[in-house]
Amino acid sequence: MADKARGPRPERPQPERLEPDESADIGVEARIAAGLLLNGALIRRGGLDEALALPAVSGLPGPDRAFARAVAMAALRRLGEIDQILNRRLQKSPPEAVRTILRIALAQTLVLETPAFAAVSTAVKLAERDPKTRPYKNLVNAVLRGIGREGPGLTTAESNLPEWLVARWRQTYGEAALAGLALAAREEPPTDLTLKPGVDAAGLAELVEGEGRPGGSVRTGRRGDVAGWPGFEDGTWWVQDAAAAVPVRLLAPQAGETALDMCAAPGGKTMQLAAAGAVVTALDRSEARLKRLHRNLARVGLEAEVAAFPAEDWLDSRTYDAVLLDAPCTATGTFRRNPEVLRATKPAEVAKLADVQHRLLDAAAERVGPGGRLVYCVCSLEREEGETQIIAFLRRNPAFRTVAADPVAVGAPAEALTPEGWLRILPSMWAERGGVDGFFVARLDRI
């Protein structure tokens, strides 16, 4: 899925869900950290992860750090609405540092239900700390108290999406789907777990206060450090969005078959392949990300041959029964877990990454042995990275044919099936059950 060269990390530790009265005890330093996280996410792709490593964030006590991340994520998910509210109150735009203070305060009161007195008081203290924002402390106080007194007013969920993506998704999926995507972007998603074969899904669901999902995943609303959850130390499961588990199920690896995961880190799909009994080779161009894959394999007690090498340049001559290409992409389908992707992705990246995907698909075709199969997937909502890639691939490679997916059998929403037999999973699907990451998935068998 998304943890590729240009995608966000889909399996970050989940923040603790704080009760509203608990957040009143969190101090100014945590709000400073929240501002750093928010601004890091808005500046560039990967900025949020970089900000998480800053001493001002990483050095906080656990509850403060969890609060800072929760506030930043809430602000990112509702940024358009927050700015709509602020713009009605501000006669002219203040310095960006002042706007950050206001955004952080409104994310607390309007989304996380932090008591208004705590959010306003700490916002004013934040303004007082910096000589550049100190002249605006009365403005901060007046704006926040005015919103608290008179209410935020009407906002639109669509405003949280960049205009260029709104235009794209409206044209591609229609007005109703766009509305569903905008609503999905506002909500914090649950956590999905993929289980090793033989693990009692119903028993684990009870332990983590969750429920079983189609395809065998377990979904829970539980938060906090997953390392403390039942079964983690035993290696019986790993965190993986329900949609991210679909491609390997569609590939259907069998015990003893050879399988190649071409862009493998952080390893969720590699573990699925190995857990099915396949003899797995896992490639990734990033040695740093492969360290995480090694740790994940060790924890769950699975094995794979791992090589740090760009998949399109790998010189090994072997072919495989099953090849998985989870290609680098814009990752726009992961905005539920990674809201910063909506701000970080730029229009030019779509075409640039489509060229990378084109080359990787041709390299993948060469790795599929006689009678073998290939699954291509991206966690992007852009057609150029999904449907268009497969249409062009089939024209270039007449030795392959589409094998229609059975969405129910592989744990995907039934409505995700396209007329061609591919899967186009939208984050707005399964909305009543917490949604799902956006994916395009296609299976291609060598004739």
Side-chain angles (χ1 to χ4, degrees):
M1 192 266 320
D3 198 3
K4 307 300 177 201
R6 295 181 181 271
R9 297 178 182 173
E11 297 178 12
R12 295 191 187 111
Q14 298 293 319
E16 295 182 18
R17 188 189 299 276
L18 300 176
E19 297 299 327
D21 58 341
E22 290 180 313
S23 60
D25 296 327
I26 302 292
V28 171
E29 301 301 327
R31 269 79 173 185
I32 292 174
L36 291 172
L37 294 175
L38 173 60
N39 289 333
L42 296 177
I43 290 171
R44 61 183 175 275
R45 185 182 289 273
L48 178 63
D49 288 326
E50 292 174 12
L52 283 166
L54 293 173
V57 180
S58 61
L60 290 172
D64 289 36
R65 189 169 59 251
F67 175 78
R69 187 175 182 277
V71 171
M73 296 294 274
L76 284 168
R77 290 191 174 98
R78 303 292 185 100
L79 194 65
E81 292 179 90
I82 287 172
D83 282 348
Q84 281 185 328
I85 295 166
L86 290 176
N87 290 341
R88 288 196 287 260
R89 293 273 172 178
L90 297 167
Q91 294 182 355
K92 61 179 182 179
S93 185
E96 197 62 23
V98 176
R99 183 174 285 272
T100 297
I101 292 171
L102 292 168
R103 284 169 166 173
I104 291 300
L106 288 184
Q108 294 169 63
T109 58
L110 301 181
V111 184
L112 300 181
E113 300 181 356
T114 298
F117 73 87
V120 175
S121 174
T122 50
V124 173
K125 289 178 182 177
L126 275 177
E128 289 177 337
R129 285 173 65 116
D130 189 337
K132 295 179 181 179
T133 58
R134 191 172 300 140
Y136 297 90
K137 69 175 185 179
N138 290 336
L139 173 69
V140 169
N141 185 63
V143 168
L144 295 177
R145 290 191 181 279
I147 293 170
R149 183 174 57 253
E150 300 169 20
L154 295 177
T155 59
T156 58
E158 191 178 294
S159 68
N160 298 313
L161 306 176
E163 291 182 3
W164 73 277
L165 283 174
V166 168
R168 271 179 157 269
W169 294 348
R170 178 181 285 117
Q171 181 177 15
T172 302
Y173 302 115
E175 199 67 47
L178 173 63
L181 291 171
L183 291 174
R186 301 171 76 194
E187 304 302 323
E188 182 180 6
T191 299
D192 294 331
L193 309 178
T194 296
L195 283 56
K196 287 177 68 175
V199 175
D200 179 13
L204 178 62
E206 184 176 356
L207 289 173
V208 298
E209 305 161 87
E211 61 176 355
R213 305 300 304 127
S217 297
V218 168
R219 170 162 290 186
T220 175
R222 190 170 180 165
R223 303 293 167 188
D225 185 359
V226 298
W229 293 8
F232 180 87
E233 290 294 338
D234 297 331
T236 58
W237 53 261
W238 54 92
V239 175
Q240 187 178 34
D241 188 86
V246 166
V248 171
R249 295 185 188 132
L250 184 58
L251 186 60
Q254 304 298 309
E257 285 189 324
T258 56
L260 174 65
D261 189 352
M262 292 185 64
C263 301
K269 297 177 182 65
T270 299
M271 289 187 283
Q272 282 183 277
L273 293 167
V279 181
V280 183
T281 302
L283 301 180
D284 200 278
R285 66 173 58 241
S286 170
E287 290 190 19
R289 289 199 302 273
L290 284 177
K291 290 179 181 178
R292 185 176 174 191
L293 186 149
H294 280 293
R295 291 196 301 269
N296 287 334
L297 286 171
R299 181 179 67 82
V300 299
L302 295 171
E303 295 182 353
E305 175 190 353
V306 180
F309 216 93
E312 65 270 36
D313 298 328
W314 196 42
L315 299 178
D316 193 293
S317 61
R318 284 176 289 176
T319 59
Y320 295 82
D321 300 310
V323 175
L324 175 68
L325 174 54
D326 180 11
C329 67
T330 55
T332 51
T334 69
F335 62 67
R336 295 160 60 252
R337 302 186 187 282
N338 306 287
E340 70 275 16
V341 74
L342 295 177
R343 308 290 167 178
T345 303
K346 306 304 178 187
E349 290 184 67
V350 178
K352 185 176 181 180
L353 284 165
D355 184 60
V356 174
Q357 294 147 10
H358 175 116
R359 296 198 308 271
L360 283 169
L361 263 169
D362 284 348
E366 296 177 1
R367 299 293 176 181
V368 181
R373 54 205 184 276
L374 163 66
V375 163
Y376 171 80
C377 65
V378 286
C379 55
S380 166
L381 301 184
E382 316 318 311
R383 282 187 61 88
E384 297 95 322
E385 301 183 81
E387 292 87 344
T388 301
Q389 288 291 341
I390 298 305
I391 291 170
F393 174 83
L394 290 172
R395 289 173 180 165
R396 298 193 306 273
N397 295 273
F400 286 83
R401 64 180 178 88
T402 292
V403 174
D406 179 347
V408 175
V410 297
E415 62 268 36
L417 185 65
T418 72
E420 299 86 357
W422 309 325
L423 294 173
R424 169 52 78 183
I425 305 172
L426 298 179
S428 51
M429 295 174 179
W430 284 346
E432 72 284 358
R433 291 175 282 182
V436 67
D437 279 356
F439 261 83
F440 173 82
V441 192
R443 175 170 157 174
L444 308 163
D445 284 13
R446 183 179 285 279
I447 300 171

